[in-house]
Amino acid sequence: LYSTLGAGKLNPISTEEALEVLGFQPPYTDVNFGSFTGNDTLIQWFGLLNRFYNVKGKAQIFWKVHGNSKTPGIDSDQAMANLIEGLRNEKKGYIYHCWNHYFCPIGFE
């Protein structure tokens, strides 16, 4: 979102750089991400990275069908339309989180 790999002007950062900003130290193979990396943790980490790199951004749960933070009043068709619109927007990015698996679609490109 903020780097020259997207629509921004900052240099891209590596996963290792992001992990160090978040307080993790090498060797990263010793980090057990496990179940503590849920939605709330990802939202918090996004905020920490924003503050560290002095950029503005907001993270939130986009659409959730079941469980805590279930999204009210949006059916799957509306969610899909909103997602397609957002992926075409150079100011948005998404992390798909499902049972401790993450996928980061790039978006408008």
Side-chain angles (χ1 to χ4, degrees), residues 78-97:
Q78 184 60 55
M80 179 62 83
N82 293 350
L83 177 63
I84 290 169
E85 179 185 337
L87 287 170
R88 292 179 176 148
N89 185 330
E90 68 182 27
K91 295 181 185 265
K92 291 186 179 182
Y94 295 89
I95 297 174
Y96 174 69
H97 173 213

Side-chain angles (χ1 to χ4, degrees), residues 2-24:
Y2 307 108
S3 81
T4 55
L5 293 176
K9 296 184 175 153
L10 299 176
N11 290 326
I13 63 169
S14 68
T15 302
E16 292 79 9
E17 287 173 289
L19 286 171
E20 288 189 27
V21 169
L22 297 173
F24 296 98

Side-chain angles (χ1 to χ4, degrees), residues 13-44:
I13 63 169
S14 68
T15 302
E16 292 79 9
E17 287 173 289
L19 286 171
E20 288 189 27
V21 169
L22 297 173
F24 296 98
Q25 298 301 317
Y28 302 109
T29 56
D30 295 340
V31 176
N32 180 13
F33 288 101
S35 62
F36 83 89
T37 52
N39 293 331
D40 292 335
T41 303
L42 294 177
I43 290 169
Q44 179 184 18

